[in-house]
């Protein structure tokens, strides 16, 4: 990808929704650390993580693709540039974990369990959005973000069959670790599938966007 193509792709990202969802996540996580200090394993923290995953997913929405329709490049490179927002979302989750670990009086989860869970959330958010974009949905991120928030709220209320405590970040349950690893792999598979080129379909989508 040339520098002009990279710049065009970055301009095509809908930064408003990305930053809006990121700000909402930061607010929720800040409240969890101050007003409701329950820690990274709390439902409040998981809602913040789901919003961070949604923020990453918003970078894959397609209405802005018309801005790069004149710059030929592969779907894989375009998805790679856009998915970099996921790294920012994961960095926000890690920063939240670091703040909590700095409070010696607070019981903290295993750092690797928290990074795995946060990475899985961000990956599955990106994977779902990438797959839905390839299936022809222009703006799937709002639905995906809402679904992830609903999912973590449901997991906090309804036990999962097989005694798998999905929201447990102690690192002491192998079943929980396996569950998050599987979720991360499914998200990565969705992102890889959504990033595959389909001949001229991407360019045709861009042309239709430019014509509106």
């Amino acid at each position: 990808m040339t520098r002009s193509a990279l710049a065009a792709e970055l301009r095509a990202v809908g930064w408003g929704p990305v930053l809006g969802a990121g700000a909402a996540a930061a607010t929720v996580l800040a409240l969890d650390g101050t007003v409701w200090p329950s820690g990274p394993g709390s439902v409040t923290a998981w809602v913040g993580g789901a919003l961070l995953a949604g923020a990453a997913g918003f970078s894959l929405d397609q209405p802005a693709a018309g801005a790069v329709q004149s710059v030929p490049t592969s779907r894989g490179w375009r998805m790679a540039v856009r998915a970099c927002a996921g790294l920012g979302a994961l960095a926000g989750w890690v920063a939240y974990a670091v703040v909590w670990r700095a409070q010696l009086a607070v019981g903290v989860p295993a750092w690797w369990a928290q990074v795995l869970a946060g990475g899985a959330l961000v990956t599955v958010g990106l994977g779902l959005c990438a797959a839905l974009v390839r299936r022809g949905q222009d703006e799937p991120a709002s639905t995906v973000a809402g679904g992830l928030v609903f999912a973590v709220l449901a997991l906090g209320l309804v036990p999962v069959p097989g005694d798998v405590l999905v929201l447990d970040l102690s690192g002491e349950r192998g079943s929980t670790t396996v569950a998050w690893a599987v979720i991360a792999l499914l998200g990565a598979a969705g992102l890889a599938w959504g990033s595959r080129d389909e001949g001229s379909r991407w360019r045709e989508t861009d042309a239709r966007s430019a014509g509106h």
Side-chain angles (χ1 to χ4, degrees):
M1 175 180 285
T2 65
R3 182 177 299 181
S4 60
L6 176 61
E9 197 62 43
L10 290 175
R11 288 194 302 270
V13 173
W15 291 108
V18 172
L19 296 176
T27 300
V28 170
L29 293 177
L31 289 173
D32 181 66
T34 54
V35 180
W36 308 310
S38 301
S42 69
V43 174
T44 307
W46 284 113
V47 170
L51 288 172
L52 283 175
F58 274 114
S59 66
L60 302 186
D61 276 354
Q62 289 305 295
V68 293
Q69 56 88 24
S70 62
V71 183
T73 188
S74 69
R75 179 192 291 268
W77 275 110
R78 289 187 172 181
M79 285 291 185
V81 171
R82 290 166 176 266
C84 284
L87 298 179
L90 184 57
W93 179 259
V94 173
Y96 165 73
V98 169
V99 170
W100 266 99
R101 293 181 69 85
Q103 302 179 53
L104 299 180
V106 179
V108 295
W111 67 268
W112 60 266
Q114 186 171 359
V115 172
L116 172 62
L121 270 177
V122 170
T123 303
V124 80
L126 287 170
L128 285 170
C129 288
L132 290 172
V133 165
R134 181 171 173 176
R135 294 289 295 175
Q137 295 191 30
D138 290 336
E139 299 179 87
S142 57
T143 301
V144 170
L148 290 175
V149 170
F150 176 80
V152 296
L153 287 174
L155 289 171
L157 297 173
V158 181
V160 176
D163 195 32
V164 179
L165 300 180
V166 180
L167 302 188
D168 176 25
L169 294 179
S170 66
E172 298 175 355
R173 289 177 173 266
S175 57
T176 301
T177 301
V178 170
W180 282 115
V182 169
I183 290 172
L185 288 174
L186 290 174
L191 183 58
W193 182 78
S195 300
R196 292 178 58 188
D197 284 308
E198 296 180 279
S200 62
R201 179 174 176 180
W202 182 282
R203 290 187 294 275
E204 290 171 357
T205 300
D206 285 345
R208 288 196 301 271
S209 299
H212 288 302

